[in-house]
Amino acid sequence: MTAQRDLDLITLGEGMVQFSARTRGPLRQVRTYDVHAAGSELNVAIGAARLGLRVGWISRLGADDFGSLLLSAARAEGVETSQVVQDATEPTGIFVVQRGYPIDGHSSSIYYRAGSAGSRLSIDEVDVDYLRRTAIFHTTGISLAVSGELAEAAATAGASAAAAGARRSFDVNYRAKLWTPEEARPKVEAALANSDIAFCSLEDARALWDVDDAEAALELVASFGPDQTVVACGRDGAIMLGPEGVTVRAAAVPTQVVDPTGAGDAFCATVLTGIAREWPAEMLLQRACLVGSIVCGVAGDNEGIPTLDELERVANNRWVHR
Ligand code: KDG
Protein backbone atom coordinates (compact mmCIF):
# COMPACT_ATOMS: atom_id res chain seq x y z
CA MET A 1 0.00 0.00 0.00
CA THR A 2 1.41 3.44 -0.86
CA ALA A 3 1.54 5.78 2.08
CA GLN A 4 -0.21 9.11 1.94
CA ARG A 5 2.44 11.83 1.55
CA ASP A 6 0.80 14.46 3.70
CA LEU A 7 3.94 16.03 5.19
CA ASP A 8 6.51 18.17 3.37
CA LEU A 9 9.16 17.70 6.02
CA ILE A 10 9.99 15.54 9.01
CA THR A 11 12.88 16.52 11.27
CA LEU A 12 14.43 14.22 13.87
CA GLY A 13 16.53 15.41 16.81
CA GLU A 14 16.68 16.58 20.39
CA GLY A 15 14.72 19.60 21.54
CA MET A 16 16.14 21.57 24.45
CA VAL A 17 15.05 24.42 26.65
CA GLN A 18 17.34 27.40 26.25
CA PHE A 19 18.19 29.83 29.05
CA SER A 20 19.46 32.90 27.26
CA ALA A 21 21.30 35.52 29.29
CA ARG A 22 19.30 38.74 29.36
CA THR A 23 22.46 40.77 29.78
CA ARG A 24 25.78 40.61 27.97
CA GLY A 25 28.77 39.39 29.92
CA PRO A 26 30.20 36.25 31.50
CA LEU A 27 27.57 33.88 32.89
CA ARG A 28 29.03 34.22 36.40
CA GLN A 29 27.73 37.81 36.36
CA VAL A 30 24.39 37.10 34.71
CA ARG A 31 21.38 37.03 37.05
CA THR A 32 18.43 36.91 34.70
CA TYR A 33 17.59 34.66 31.77
CA ASP A 34 14.90 34.39 29.15
CA VAL A 35 13.54 30.93 28.41
CA HIS A 36 13.09 29.68 24.85
CA ALA A 37 12.27 26.45 23.02
CA ALA A 38 15.29 25.36 20.97
CA GLY A 39 17.36 22.47 19.62
CA SER A 40 18.49 22.47 16.03
CA GLU A 41 16.01 20.05 14.45
CA LEU A 42 13.11 21.55 16.43
CA ASN A 43 14.16 25.01 15.23
CA VAL A 44 14.07 23.77 11.63
CA ALA A 45 10.65 22.19 12.17
CA ILE A 46 9.22 25.37 13.71
CA GLY A 47 10.81 27.57 11.03
CA ALA A 48 9.54 25.53 8.11
CA ALA A 49 6.06 25.29 9.66
CA ARG A 50 5.95 29.07 10.11
CA LEU A 51 6.96 29.43 6.47
CA GLY A 52 4.00 27.29 5.47
CA LEU A 53 5.26 23.70 5.19
CA ARG A 54 3.44 20.73 6.72
CA VAL A 55 6.02 19.52 9.22
CA GLY A 56 6.43 16.63 11.65
CA TRP A 57 9.02 16.37 14.43
CA ILE A 58 10.37 13.07 15.83
CA SER A 59 11.95 13.32 19.26
CA ARG A 60 11.96 12.24 22.86
CA LEU A 61 11.31 14.48 25.86
CA GLY A 62 11.20 14.10 29.61
CA ALA A 63 7.74 13.87 31.17
CA ASP A 64 8.57 17.13 32.93
CA ASP A 65 7.59 20.78 32.61
CA PHE A 66 10.46 21.51 30.20
CA GLY A 67 9.28 18.67 27.97
CA SER A 68 5.76 20.13 28.03
CA LEU A 69 7.17 23.57 27.18
CA LEU A 70 8.88 22.19 24.06
CA LEU A 71 5.84 20.19 23.02
CA SER A 72 3.59 23.23 23.38
CA ALA A 73 6.03 25.38 21.40
CA ALA A 74 6.08 22.88 18.53
CA ARG A 75 2.29 22.45 18.55
CA ALA A 76 1.67 26.19 18.71
CA GLU A 77 3.41 26.48 15.34
CA GLY A 78 1.39 23.65 13.84
CA VAL A 79 4.21 21.09 13.95
CA GLU A 80 2.84 17.53 14.00
CA THR A 81 4.08 15.88 17.23
CA SER A 82 2.47 12.43 17.28
CA GLN A 83 5.99 10.91 17.15
CA VAL A 84 7.35 12.80 20.14
CA VAL A 85 7.74 10.36 23.03
CA GLN A 86 7.53 11.68 26.61
CA ASP A 87 9.31 9.52 29.16
CA ALA A 88 9.35 9.89 32.94
CA THR A 89 12.76 8.30 33.52
CA GLU A 90 15.05 10.96 32.02
CA PRO A 91 14.92 14.76 32.07
CA THR A 92 14.54 17.13 29.13
CA GLY A 93 17.91 18.63 28.17
CA ILE A 94 18.66 22.30 28.73
CA PHE A 95 21.39 24.73 27.64
CA VAL A 96 22.50 28.18 28.64
CA VAL A 97 23.53 30.89 26.20
CA GLN A 98 26.11 33.55 27.03
CA ARG A 99 25.66 36.50 24.67
CA GLY A 100 28.00 39.13 23.24
CA TYR A 101 30.95 38.25 25.47
CA PRO A 102 33.91 38.15 25.17
CA ILE A 103 33.37 38.75 21.43
CA ASP A 104 30.75 41.24 20.32
CA GLY A 105 28.02 39.61 18.23
CA HIS A 106 28.99 36.06 19.25
CA SER A 107 27.20 33.69 21.62
CA SER A 108 28.37 30.50 23.31
CA SER A 109 26.39 27.62 24.79
CA ILE A 110 26.81 25.41 27.83
CA TYR A 111 24.91 22.13 27.63
CA TYR A 112 23.18 20.26 30.45
CA ARG A 113 22.06 17.35 28.31
CA ALA A 114 24.07 14.27 29.36
CA GLY A 115 21.62 11.39 29.88
CA SER A 116 18.70 13.51 28.66
CA ALA A 117 15.49 11.94 27.37
CA GLY A 118 16.27 13.29 23.90
CA SER A 119 19.65 11.58 23.79
CA ARG A 120 17.95 8.23 24.41
CA LEU A 121 15.65 8.20 21.38
CA SER A 122 15.84 4.68 20.01
CA ILE A 123 14.92 3.54 16.50
CA ASP A 124 12.46 1.08 18.12
CA GLU A 125 10.38 4.09 19.14
CA VAL A 126 10.16 5.46 15.61
CA ASP A 127 7.15 4.43 13.51
CA VAL A 128 8.34 3.47 10.03
CA ASP A 129 4.90 4.24 8.52
CA TYR A 130 5.22 7.81 9.74
CA LEU A 131 8.46 8.21 7.78
CA ARG A 132 6.65 7.25 4.58
CA ARG A 133 4.48 10.34 4.89
CA THR A 134 7.17 12.91 4.11
CA ALA A 135 8.80 14.40 1.02
CA ILE A 136 11.94 15.50 2.92
CA PHE A 137 13.62 14.02 6.02
CA HIS A 138 16.06 16.26 7.91
CA THR A 139 18.55 15.73 10.69
CA THR A 140 21.94 17.14 11.71
CA GLY A 141 25.40 16.27 12.96
CA ILE A 142 24.23 17.11 16.48
CA SER A 143 22.06 13.97 16.47
CA LEU A 144 25.11 11.96 15.38
CA ALA A 145 27.21 13.41 18.20
CA VAL A 146 24.83 13.24 21.13
CA SER A 147 24.67 9.44 21.57
CA GLY A 148 25.05 6.20 19.65
CA GLU A 149 21.33 5.52 20.12
CA LEU A 150 20.24 8.85 18.66
CA ALA A 151 22.77 8.57 15.83
CA GLU A 152 21.39 5.14 14.93
CA ALA A 153 17.80 6.40 15.12
CA ALA A 154 18.66 9.32 12.81
CA ALA A 155 20.49 7.15 10.25
CA THR A 156 17.92 4.35 10.20
CA ALA A 157 14.94 6.71 10.08
CA GLY A 158 16.60 8.59 7.21
CA ALA A 159 17.13 5.33 5.32
CA SER A 160 13.47 4.33 5.81
CA ALA A 161 12.23 7.73 4.64
CA ALA A 162 14.53 7.53 1.60
CA ALA A 163 13.35 4.01 0.78
CA ALA A 164 9.82 5.44 0.61
CA GLY A 165 10.98 8.15 -1.80
CA ALA A 166 11.84 11.07 0.52
CA ARG A 167 14.84 13.30 -0.07
CA ARG A 168 17.30 13.27 2.80
CA SER A 169 18.58 16.57 4.16
CA PHE A 170 21.58 16.83 6.49
CA ASP A 171 23.16 19.84 8.19
CA VAL A 172 26.75 19.25 9.37
CA ASN A 173 26.16 21.45 12.48
CA TYR A 174 29.52 20.58 14.05
CA ARG A 175 29.48 21.20 17.81
CA ALA A 176 32.98 21.15 19.31
CA LYS A 177 31.53 20.69 22.81
CA LEU A 178 30.05 17.33 21.75
CA TRP A 179 32.89 15.68 19.81
CA THR A 180 36.30 16.24 18.25
CA PRO A 181 36.88 16.82 14.51
CA GLU A 182 38.54 13.37 14.36
CA GLU A 183 35.45 11.70 15.83
CA ALA A 184 33.06 13.74 13.72
CA ARG A 185 34.71 13.57 10.29
CA PRO A 186 33.99 9.93 9.28
CA LYS A 187 30.43 10.02 10.63
CA VAL A 188 29.61 13.33 9.01
CA GLU A 189 31.10 12.21 5.70
CA ALA A 190 29.02 9.01 5.79
CA ALA A 191 25.87 11.04 6.53
CA LEU A 192 26.66 13.41 3.66
CA ALA A 193 27.13 10.45 1.33
CA ASN A 194 23.59 9.36 2.23
CA SER A 195 22.07 12.82 1.75
CA ASP A 196 20.38 14.53 -1.18
CA ILE A 197 20.47 18.02 0.33
CA ALA A 198 23.44 19.11 2.45
CA PHE A 199 24.16 22.17 4.57
CA CYS A 200 27.53 23.18 5.98
CA SER A 201 28.73 26.46 7.42
CA LEU A 202 32.13 27.71 6.35
CA GLU A 203 33.06 27.66 10.04
CA ASP A 204 32.25 23.92 10.20
CA ALA A 205 34.18 23.24 6.97
CA ARG A 206 37.16 24.95 8.58
CA ALA A 207 36.84 22.93 11.78
CA LEU A 208 36.36 19.54 10.10
CA TRP A 209 38.36 19.73 6.89
CA ASP A 210 40.57 22.78 7.32
CA VAL A 211 38.94 24.40 4.28
CA ASP A 212 38.97 28.18 4.38
CA ASP A 213 37.22 29.21 1.23
CA ALA A 214 33.52 29.03 0.35
CA GLU A 215 33.94 27.59 -3.17
CA ALA A 216 36.36 24.91 -1.94
CA ALA A 217 33.99 24.02 0.92
CA LEU A 218 31.07 23.75 -1.52
CA GLU A 219 33.05 21.52 -3.83
CA LEU A 220 34.28 19.32 -1.00
CA VAL A 221 30.87 18.84 0.65
CA ALA A 222 29.25 18.17 -2.76
CA SER A 223 31.96 15.59 -3.50
CA PHE A 224 30.61 13.36 -0.71
CA GLY A 225 27.41 12.81 -2.73
CA PRO A 226 24.49 15.20 -2.13
CA ASP A 227 23.01 16.69 -5.30
CA GLN A 228 22.13 20.00 -3.66
CA THR A 229 24.74 21.60 -1.37
CA VAL A 230 24.61 24.87 0.52
CA VAL A 231 27.49 26.55 2.34
CA ALA A 232 26.52 29.35 4.72
CA CYS A 233 29.25 31.94 5.24
CA GLY A 234 27.74 34.16 7.96
CA ARG A 235 28.33 37.84 7.20
CA ASP A 236 29.57 36.83 3.74
CA GLY A 237 26.26 35.34 2.63
CA ALA A 238 25.85 31.87 1.16
CA ILE A 239 26.67 29.78 -1.86
CA MET A 240 24.70 26.85 -3.29
CA LEU A 241 25.33 24.18 -5.88
CA GLY A 242 22.06 22.92 -7.34
CA PRO A 243 21.19 19.61 -9.01
CA GLU A 244 21.75 21.16 -12.45
CA GLY A 245 25.36 21.93 -11.48
CA VAL A 246 24.73 25.69 -11.34
CA THR A 247 26.35 27.68 -8.52
CA VAL A 248 24.26 30.45 -6.96
CA ARG A 249 25.42 33.12 -4.49
CA ALA A 250 23.53 35.44 -2.17
CA ALA A 251 24.74 38.26 0.06
CA ALA A 252 24.06 38.48 3.77
CA VAL A 253 21.77 41.22 5.00
CA PRO A 254 23.53 43.43 7.58
CA THR A 255 21.90 43.39 11.00
CA GLN A 256 22.57 44.33 14.60
CA VAL A 257 23.28 40.98 16.23
CA VAL A 258 21.40 40.16 19.43
CA ASP A 259 22.10 36.41 19.35
CA PRO A 260 23.16 34.41 16.28
CA THR A 261 22.21 31.07 17.88
CA GLY A 262 19.61 29.37 15.67
CA ALA A 263 20.29 31.54 12.60
CA GLY A 264 21.75 28.53 10.75
CA ASP A 265 18.60 26.52 11.47
CA ALA A 266 16.39 29.38 10.27
CA PHE A 267 18.50 29.57 7.11
CA CYS A 268 18.12 25.82 6.61
CA ALA A 269 14.34 25.91 7.24
CA THR A 270 14.02 28.57 4.54
CA VAL A 271 16.10 26.62 2.01
CA LEU A 272 14.02 23.49 2.65
CA THR A 273 10.82 25.51 2.27
CA GLY A 274 12.10 26.88 -1.02
CA ILE A 275 13.02 23.39 -2.25
CA ALA A 276 9.62 21.99 -1.25
CA ARG A 277 7.83 24.90 -2.93
CA GLU A 278 10.18 24.94 -5.95
CA TRP A 279 11.29 28.55 -5.59
CA PRO A 280 13.88 29.69 -8.16
CA ALA A 281 17.41 29.09 -6.82
CA GLU A 282 18.43 32.77 -6.48
CA MET A 283 15.25 33.73 -4.68
CA LEU A 284 15.57 30.71 -2.40
CA LEU A 285 19.10 31.60 -1.30
CA GLN A 286 18.34 35.31 -0.89
CA ARG A 287 15.30 34.55 1.26
CA ALA A 288 17.35 32.12 3.37
CA CYS A 289 20.06 34.76 3.98
CA LEU A 290 17.39 37.32 4.85
CA VAL A 291 15.72 35.00 7.37
CA GLY A 292 19.10 34.06 8.90
CA SER A 293 19.88 37.72 9.37
CA ILE A 294 16.47 38.56 10.88
CA VAL A 295 16.94 35.74 13.40
CA CYS A 296 20.38 37.11 14.42
CA GLY A 297 18.62 40.28 15.52
CA VAL A 298 16.13 38.54 17.82
CA ALA A 299 16.72 36.68 21.11
CA GLY A 300 15.87 32.98 21.02
CA ASP A 301 16.62 30.47 18.28
CA ASN A 302 13.38 30.53 16.32
CA GLU A 303 11.16 33.37 17.53
CA GLY A 304 12.52 35.68 14.84
CA ILE A 305 11.65 33.43 11.90
CA PRO A 306 8.99 35.31 9.92
CA THR A 307 5.82 33.89 8.42
CA LEU A 308 5.87 33.51 4.66
CA ASP A 309 3.72 36.61 4.26
CA GLU A 310 6.06 38.68 6.46
CA LEU A 311 9.08 37.36 4.58
CA GLU A 312 7.60 38.30 1.22
CA ARG A 313 6.71 41.78 2.42
CA VAL A 314 10.21 42.41 3.77
CA ALA A 315 11.91 40.90 0.72
CA ASN A 316 9.83 43.02 -1.65
CA ASN A 317 10.12 46.23 0.38
CA ARG A 318 6.44 46.16 1.06
CA TRP A 319 6.79 46.21 4.82
CA VAL A 320 4.47 48.86 6.29
CA HIS A 321 5.99 50.55 9.34
CA ARG A 322 2.88 52.30 10.62
O1 KDG B 1 21.56 25.67 16.06
C1 KDG B 1 21.12 26.07 17.33
C2 KDG B 1 21.40 24.94 18.26
O2 KDG B 1 22.80 24.84 18.43
C3 KDG B 1 20.79 25.12 19.64
O3 KDG B 1 19.39 25.20 19.56
C4 KDG B 1 21.16 24.03 20.58
O4 KDG B 1 20.55 22.06 19.38
C5 KDG B 1 21.40 22.70 19.95
C6 KDG B 1 22.75 22.16 20.05
O5 KDG B 1 22.85 20.96 20.22
O6 KDG B 1 23.70 22.91 19.96
Side-chain angles (χ1 to χ4, degrees):
M1 201 174 68
T2 34
Q4 191 198 355
R5 209 181 281 293
D6 59 351
L7 294 172
D8 300 301
L9 173 69
I10 289 178
T11 75
L12 182 151
E14 181 172 16
M16 286 192 295
V17 173
Q18 177 192 91
F19 289 83
S20 171
R22 259 195 203 160
T23 48
R24 287 172 53 163
L27 289 182
R28 60 184 174 276
Q29 308 290 1
V30 170
R31 297 293 176 268
T32 50
Y33 294 88
D34 285 316
V35 179
H36 303 273
S40 179
E41 294 89 348
L42 175 57
N43 292 333
V44 173
I46 286 177
R50 206 173 291 150
L51 289 165
L53 294 194
R54 299 161 304 170
V55 186
W57 177 46
I58 300 176
S59 197
R60 196 163 186 282
L61 298 167
D64 48 25
D65 282 341
F66 288 158
S68 303
L69 183 158
L70 295 177
L71 206 49
S72 303
R75 287 179 180 158
E77 301 294 339
V79 174
E80 210 285 327
T81 57
S82 61
Q83 298 300 305
V84 179
V85 179
Q86 263 193 296
D87 185 275
T89 43
E90 294 107 12
T92 302
I94 65 171
F95 71 112
V96 183
V97 175
Q98 171 174 292
R99 293 191 303 110
Y101 181 89
I103 307 168
D104 185 32
H106 287 246
S107 295
S108 50
S109 298
I110 300 179
Y111 297 128
Y112 297 89
R113 70 193 311 177
S116 66
S119 70
R120 299 265 158 85
L121 177 74
S122 140
I123 188 60
D124 303 334
E125 291 171 306
V126 179
D127 178 6
V128 177
D129 286 337
Y130 188 72
L131 294 161
R132 298 200 179 104
R133 289 171 51 182
T134 190
I136 303 176
F137 173 88
H138 173 82
T139 192
T140 78
I142 296 171
S143 291
L144 304 188
V146 161
S147 76
E149 249 166 316
L150 184 56
E152 194 209 342
T156 313
S160 300
R167 274 186 287 173
R168 267 196 271 189
S169 162
F170 178 77
D171 187 343
V172 170
N173 257 355
Y174 175 64
R175 296 289 181 270
K177 286 186 178 159
L178 296 178
W179 53 356
T180 64
E182 291 68 36
E183 288 165 331
R185 215 175 291 119
K187 297 195 170 149
V188 164
E189 289 175 8
L192 288 169
N194 285 323
S195 305
D196 304 290
I197 305 161
F199 297 87
C200 184
S201 68
L202 187 52
E203 207 181 330
D204 288 353
R206 244 180 236 128
L208 290 186
W209 299 288
D210 209 14
V211 176
D212 240 336
D213 152 273
E215 267 85 10
L218 190 71
E219 207 176 299
L220 179 76
V221 175
S223 76
F224 295 117
D227 55 29
Q228 187 142 13
T229 302
V230 191
V231 171
C233 312
R235 290 173 204 270
D236 293 321
I239 177 166
M240 177 170 81
L241 182 62
E244 323 73 26
V246 179
T247 302
V248 175
R249 289 174 182 75
V253 180
T255 190
Q256 203 167 349
V257 177
V258 171
D259 177 16
T261 319
D265 301 327
F267 174 90
C268 173
T270 314
V271 170
L272 293 178
T273 301
I275 290 174
R277 295 289 177 253
E278 299 183 357
W279 295 350
E282 265 113 27
M283 165 181 159
L284 179 155
L285 205 58
Q286 278 159 7
R287 298 287 191 275
C289 286
L290 178 55
V291 171
S293 137
I294 294 172
V295 168
C296 285
V298 179
D301 280 20
N302 54 62
E303 283 87 338
I305 302 172
T307 63
L308 188 58
D309 175 58
E310 287 167 340
L311 175 59
E312 286 314 299
R313 281 190 281 143
V314 176
N316 295 310
N317 293 318
R318 285 192 288 105
W319 188 261
V320 179
H321 294 275
R322 14 172 178 252

